[in-house]
């Protein structure tokens, strides 16, 4: 009778969900940085991928966009299911010149002084979202936390501008319709 070979787990495969579920991810990353700072995982639940786990390696990859492309293979290891998922361009996953132009647009909103100014609001909103999470039941982290926080923080920044725009629009409409 044939026996099935036990699946060999790459000790450097940091995509394994149980590492995060069990909060045991620190040691694999420590070992990865010490022993294999640039490592290709051939077999994972997400297919093959490269890990670059040291500051020096990441700086090198970031400084050579013509050699290392964010767009070609993507920056995540999640599966993309054709027909179900929608590819949405994110500037972080784009190569220059698009990435450079988009980064210049958003950079002023994330200067150290701006981040300091926003830190209290970010902490408050994050605490509210996290405190509202359900206990002992599954939920979608992306929808419940990630999207919610991004929307709250972005809308908070846009509302004063939108309010002014709506007031100007309303005034213009009232003048055009001779209501005022």
């Amino acid at each position: 009778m044939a026996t099935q070979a036990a699946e060999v787990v790459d000790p450097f495969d940091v995509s394994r969900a149980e590492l995060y579920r069990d909060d045991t991810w620190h040691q694999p990353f420590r070992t990865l940085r010490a022993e294999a700072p640039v490592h290709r995982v051939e077999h994972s639940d997400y297919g093959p991928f490269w890990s670059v786990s040291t500051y020096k390696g990441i700086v090198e990859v970031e400084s050579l966009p013509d050699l290392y492309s964010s767009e070609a293979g993507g920056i995540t290891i999640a599966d993309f299911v054709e027909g179900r998922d929608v590819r949405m361009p994110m500037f972080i996953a784009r190569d220059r010149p698009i990435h450079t132009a988009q980064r210049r647009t958003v950079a002023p909103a994330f200067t150290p002084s701006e981040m300091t100014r926003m830190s209290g609001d970010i902490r408050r909103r994050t605490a509210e979202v996290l405190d509202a999470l359900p206990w002992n039941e599954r939920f979608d982290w992306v929808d419940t936390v990630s999207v919610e926080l991004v929307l709250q923080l972005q809308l908070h920044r846009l509302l004063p501008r939108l309010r002014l725009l709506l007031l100007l629009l309303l005034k213009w409409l009232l003048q055009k319709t001779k209501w005022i």
Side-chain angles (χ1 to χ4, degrees):
M1 179 178 223
T3 59
Q4 199 170 7
E7 186 178 323
V8 178
V9 176
D10 184 334
F12 297 123
D13 180 2
V14 292
S15 72
R16 294 175 292 140
E18 68 272 9
L19 295 175
Y20 306 96
R21 181 196 64 214
D22 301 339
D23 196 25
T24 57
W25 57 273
H26 296 278
Q27 187 57 48
F29 272 99
R30 210 173 282 120
T31 305
L32 189 62
R33 286 191 298 273
E35 298 176 20
V38 177
H39 179 72
R40 182 169 172 83
V41 175
E42 289 297 332
H43 304 285
S44 80
D45 289 345
Y46 304 95
F49 67 92
W50 284 95
S51 287
V52 181
S53 59
T54 62
Y55 177 78
K56 184 178 176 183
I58 292 168
V59 168
E60 180 179 348
V61 167
E62 288 293 317
S63 68
L64 298 170
D66 293 331
L67 182 58
Y68 304 102
S69 171
S70 296
E71 287 184 59
I75 59 169
T76 67
I77 59 173
D79 287 333
F80 176 83
V81 178
E82 201 68 50
R84 182 195 75 189
D85 297 333
V86 176
R87 286 197 195 274
M88 298 188 62
M90 301 175 288
F91 91 91
I92 197 168
R94 301 298 301 269
D95 292 332
R96 61 181 184 188
I98 295 169
H99 175 84
T100 306
Q102 292 177 344
R103 185 174 179 153
R104 279 191 191 121
T105 302
V106 300
F110 298 97
T111 61
S113 61
E114 186 63 10
M115 294 306 297
T116 299
R117 187 187 71 72
M118 294 187 311
S119 66
D121 187 47
I122 291 170
R123 283 188 178 90
R124 180 184 60 76
R125 290 174 186 275
T126 302
E128 287 173 1
V129 169
L130 294 177
D131 288 345
L133 292 175
W135 284 82
N136 298 320
E137 63 183 80
R138 288 178 165 247
F139 62 91
D140 184 324
W141 179 270
V142 171
D143 286 344
T144 310
V145 179
S146 302
V147 170
E148 179 65 25
L149 276 175
V150 169
L151 284 176
Q152 280 192 31
L153 293 168
Q154 292 305 316
L155 286 175
H156 174 72
R157 292 178 58 85
L158 291 174
L159 280 179
R161 294 180 189 115
L162 289 174
R163 188 177 306 120
L164 177 61
L165 182 62
L166 288 173
L167 286 172
L168 291 172
L169 179 62
L170 180 59
K171 185 175 182 179
W172 178 82
L173 281 172
L174 293 174
Q175 288 175 343
K176 289 295 178 185
T177 57
K178 309 248 190 270
W179 285 7
I180 59 169

